[in-house]
Amino acid sequence: MRTVTVVGASLSGLYAARELRAQGFDGRLVIVGEETHAPYDRPPLSKEYLTGRAPEEDLALTDAEEHAELDAEWLLGVRARSLDARGRTVVLGDGRTVSTDGVVVATGASARPLGGDRRAGVHTLRTLDDARALRAELTGGERRVVVVGGGFVGAETASSCAALGHTVTVVEAATLPLVPQLGPDMAAVCAALHRRNGTALTTGASVAALHGTTAVTAVELTDGRVLPADVVVVGIGAAPNTAWLAGSPLALNDGVLCDDGCATSLPQVVAVGDVARVGGTRAEHWTSATRQPRAAVTNLLAGRTVADARSVPYFWSDQYGVRLQFAGRRREGDSVRVTEGRIADGAPGEDGFLARYERAGRTTAVLAVARARSFTRARRELARDTHETREAHETHGVPA
């Protein structure tokens, strides 16, 4: 390959560019990014950056020295419009084209809006520009903040707003926040974290309408309640950025469909990060974005799948001064038990706890709250057991 184009100046796009150079690709490297910013770290946006504890310069993932080492052409502030696979060309939104031999799709995902509402005071939190706008609104006095969605971004944003002294209400359509990820028992513990820290939690209701002419003044729920609001933060998930690939030969279904090695239906194209559905799963986590590129680049340069990107899923979340860490795959019907620490009055005890999810006598996932050392050990054991089980299945011809 003479030219490889990384579409998406994201975390996964940057890691793919690093892997290309590390694995010996010395040709032309082009990195296309819709945002004007060089790659930056997103997790702090809802936490340290929002509360003012991390300056903007701390978010940068690259510096001048690395830019020189990568020797890449950075095309920032322009989106990819289409992929001409036959002509091996990436068409940009401003009409320019990039002729290329290989493509790494790393376009990530975009926050889902709340019905396209344009009122002032209504925010999503996905990009640096989103975080800048929200942070500006949260300065200069107490605000009534309604966070729509109790997932990780919503919970972290609520925690940050509460730390800043604002009055915060989280609205979650499910019976408990984080039920799909953690199951009802552990989701109840996360709900207790909100309440213990002064955040009101409203569950089993969704947004029916927003009030206010030019700026939001209240949130009306489907159960008829009306919550006064100066600021509304919408955290109802993200959609993979695949619109630019419509009409290409790539298979799309809630992301770019890939095999276990991030290879797509086109031999010259791989996908990584939030936009990639690898082996049937699309994981919007930092660890996936940083681990997938190694196998993806190996397979891109080889022209076929020779490396596997599968790993034990892992994510973390910082809420109300407590770190939650989760690894593995929980399924409906798994039992869960606390093996270290304790839960007191429905909330984590002072020393936190470690919980194990189990199925048929085997650990399938682990959750730790303020128990980092125990979690590291349990996660390592889970990875080893999962690898051994997968090898046993594959040896006997059984899908893992």
Side-chain angles (χ1 to χ4, degrees):
M1 291 186 178
R2 297 178 180 177
T3 300
V4 173
T5 301
V6 177
V7 186
S10 56
L11 177 68
S12 59
L14 173 62
Y15 270 68
R18 289 172 175 170
E19 281 295 330
L20 281 160
R21 293 308 191 205
Q23 294 188 32
F25 175 71
D26 59 2
R28 181 189 179 208
L29 175 58
V30 182
I31 303 175
V32 179
E34 183 172 1
E35 295 183 62
T36 57
H37 315 293
Y40 57 87
D41 205 17
R42 294 185 190 274
L45 294 181
S46 58
K47 301 185 281 288
E48 296 91 348
Y49 178 77
L50 197 60
T51 57
R53 289 180 289 134
E56 196 165 298
E57 54 266 27
D58 285 0
L59 304 179
L61 292 172
T62 60
D63 55 21
E65 182 179 351
E66 181 172 28
H67 275 253
E69 291 175 353
L70 285 176
D71 188 25
E73 297 176 34
W74 294 83
L75 305 181
L76 300 179
V78 59
R79 65 180 181 86
R81 189 171 69 195
S82 62
L83 174 64
D84 180 357
R86 179 172 297 179
R88 295 190 180 182
T89 301
V90 176
V91 181
L92 305 181
D94 59 8
R96 286 180 291 171
T97 60
V98 180
S99 297
T100 190
D101 301 302
V103 176
V104 179
V105 179
T107 43
S110 296
R112 297 183 188 276
L114 190 63
D117 197 282
R118 299 294 183 184
R119 290 178 177 86
V122 180
H123 298 263
T124 55
L125 183 52
R126 181 81 184 183
T127 68
L128 176 56
D129 290 338
D130 291 340
R132 283 173 172 171
L134 179 57
R135 190 162 101 162
E137 281 231 47
L138 295 174
T139 59
E142 183 179 346
R143 301 285 193 274
R144 298 167 298 178
V145 181
V146 174
V147 178
V148 181
F152 293 111
V153 171
E156 291 171 358
T157 303
S159 170
S160 295
C161 290
L164 290 169
H166 301 298
T167 301
V168 186
T169 301
V170 174
V171 176
E172 169 57 52
T175 54
L176 286 168
L178 300 174
V179 165
Q181 295 87 353
L182 305 182
D185 293 338
M186 295 299 112
V189 176
C190 292
L193 269 179
H194 286 294
R195 298 189 176 104
R196 189 169 72 181
N197 288 276
T199 295
L201 180 60
T202 298
T203 60
S206 53
V207 175
L210 298 182
H211 295 183
T213 305
T214 58
V216 68
T217 58
V219 178
E220 182 178 342
L221 304 182
T222 49
D223 60 10
R225 282 179 290 176
V226 177
L227 307 176
D230 305 304
V231 178
V232 174
V233 184
V234 181
I236 54 175
N241 293 324
T242 57
W244 70 284
L245 294 169
S248 76
L250 292 181
L252 307 175
N253 183 10
D254 186 37
V256 179
L257 298 186
C258 306
D259 66 9
D260 290 338
C262 300
T264 71
S265 51
L266 291 174
Q268 307 91 354
V269 181
V270 295
V272 292
D274 294 356
V275 74
R277 179 167 288 276
V278 179
T281 302
R282 189 170 68 85
E284 296 179 14
H285 303 309
W286 190 92
T287 46
S288 299
T290 57
R291 288 184 174 181
Q292 290 172 355
R294 176 170 296 180
V297 166
T298 298
N299 297 331
L300 177 66
L301 296 178
R304 58 191 179 89
T305 299
V306 295
D308 193 322
R310 289 180 297 176
S311 62
V312 175
Y314 164 66
F315 60 82
W316 78 91
S317 178
D318 295 322
Q319 303 173 23
Y320 304 105
V322 174
R323 171 155 289 192
L324 286 71
Q325 296 171 284
F326 184 92
R329 294 180 173 86
R330 185 200 74 86
R331 297 178 186 172
E332 291 299 324
D334 287 1
S335 61
V336 60
R337 61 189 178 94
V338 174
T339 57
E340 294 183 29
R342 65 191 184 95
I343 296 173
D345 298 325
E350 289 185 5
D351 296 327
F353 68 86
L354 177 77
R356 294 178 183 268
Y357 295 81
E358 297 171 329
R359 184 187 322 127
R362 186 170 65 89
T363 299
T364 59
V366 290
L367 168 69
V369 177
R371 204 94 173 181
R373 183 174 298 178
S374 297
F375 177 82
T376 299
R377 183 177 62 254
R379 180 189 176 195
R380 190 181 299 120
E381 293 170 356
L382 178 64
R384 184 186 64 242
D385 293 346
T386 301
H387 178 72
E388 291 174 353
T389 300
R390 183 182 295 155
E391 280 193 334
H393 286 171
E394 291 174 350
T395 298
H396 294 87
V398 179

